[in-house]
Amino acid sequence: MAAARAHHAARAASLARVGRGGGAMMPVRPLLGPEGRAAIERLMRNRPLLGFDFDGTLAPIVMHPDEARISPVIARLLQQLTERLPVAVITGRQVLDVRHRLGFKPTHIIGNHGAEDEFLGPDPRVVETLKTFRRHARRLEPMLNEAGATVEDKGASIAIHYRLAPNPVLAREAIAELMNEMPPGIEAETGKRVVNILVKGAPDKGDAMARLTTHYGTDAAFYVGDDTNDEPVFQRAGSDWVTARVGPRLDHSHASYYLQEQAEMETVLQLMLEALP
């Protein structure tokens, strides 16, 4: 038993390292500092695509994910921006899950970490590839639930949550046991009290932003997010982009700027509206 627990603990430790880029620098410039404010002003003159993560970015992180909502003030500011520019919400949630939480109508919603387009639906190859793991997760779901972890099947990705687990260490060990039998073509990405099960090569948030800038005919873009699944956007950002990570001390990041906390989003949106030509 001790050997088994040691194995699971080692596996959990390896999971904690999944998705962390090596050698990346932490963003050292505050987006609401003089340099960041000037970058926003320059960017808005070029009529950019504005991209936003949802949880922890537009909406604060909450203990119960179903309670997540955008505040009326931020929703009003986003609606005003949407009337002038293309605004995209790019989230790990399903499109149908996030749409009623926004309080405004964005130009475009991308779900499942980039693998689901609100107009095109989820990537069928991704949904099909997850079938084997989906069956495996259902078999082990009682064990996961006992440890305080829950399985959320989002079609084009699967999330194993443990935010509400009484003992996060035991929850991670249970998730590690689930991960011992990963079928081919599947990978795990750790987030904030969640492990995301993704298909290798599936469209990510970086792919989504690149596709949307082409679709809406602009080389300029803004993107802000708060977790590891936002890093593909930061890594692929063009020279005409401004990127920001919410939380300067969370992890190493490729973002150009940082926000101290999610509450600063209101000020960022106000600056954007003021800087519009």
Side-chain angles (χ1 to χ4, degrees), residues 23-253:
M25 297 299 292
M26 295 176 71
V28 295
R29 297 174 292 177
L31 184 60
L32 293 180
E35 187 178 352
R37 289 170 181 261
I40 290 175
E41 291 178 5
R42 289 193 301 269
L43 180 72
M44 297 305 284
R45 297 189 198 114
N46 295 325
R47 305 194 62 78
L49 166 73
L50 304 179
F52 302 92
D53 174 44
F54 178 73
D55 291 283
T57 302
L58 291 181
I61 295 289
V62 292
M63 286 300 295
H64 297 275
D66 195 51
E67 297 176 356
R69 297 289 189 281
I70 291 180
S71 74
V73 173
I74 287 183
R76 174 176 54 80
L77 295 170
L78 286 165
Q79 184 60 55
Q80 292 174 7
L81 285 167
T82 304
E83 292 167 2
R84 305 280 298 278
L85 297 172
V87 173
V89 174
I90 305 178
T91 175
R93 292 177 182 256
Q94 281 183 291
V95 169
L96 286 176
D97 178 278
V98 78
R99 184 180 280 139
H100 72 279
R101 305 179 187 279
L102 300 178
F104 80 108
K105 184 174 175 55
T107 313
H108 216 117
I109 302 174
I110 301 290
N112 271 291
H113 312 282
E116 180 189 11
D117 187 295
E118 72 168 319
F119 301 117
L120 303 176
D123 186 315
R125 178 189 69 85
V126 173
V127 176
E128 180 66 24
T129 304
L130 280 169
K131 275 186 173 180
T132 301
F133 185 89
R134 186 174 286 116
R135 290 193 294 267
H136 175 53
R138 285 175 183 155
R139 287 196 302 270
L140 295 186
E141 193 165 8
M143 179 269 294
L144 292 165
N145 292 164
E146 185 177 353
T150 59
V151 179
E152 181 188 8
D153 188 345
K154 297 182 284 189
S157 70
I158 295 172
I160 316 298
H161 300 277
Y162 60 99
R163 184 174 298 278
L164 299 178
N167 187 330
V169 174
L170 291 179
R172 286 194 293 267
E173 290 179 359
I175 295 171
E177 184 169 338
L178 172 71
M179 306 300 294
N180 279 334
E181 297 181 31
M182 288 282 279
I186 304 297
E187 61 185 359
E189 178 185 74
T190 59
K192 295 177 179 177
R193 296 293 182 95
V194 65
V195 176
N196 295 305
I197 309 302
L198 309 171
V199 173
K200 293 180 180 178
D204 60 25
K205 290 186 175 185
D207 298 319
M209 276 294 289
R211 187 173 73 250
L212 291 177
T213 52
T214 299
H215 180 75
Y216 290 105
T218 181
D219 293 324
F222 172 87
Y223 185 80
V224 57
D226 77 314
D227 213 340
T228 53
N229 60 16
D230 298 299
E231 288 299 319
V233 183
F234 304 148
Q235 290 176 289
R236 293 183 58 174
S239 58
D240 294 330
W241 292 29
V242 173
T243 59
R245 174 78 178 253
V246 180
R249 294 176 298 276
L250 290 177
D251 204 344
H252 292 292
S253 177

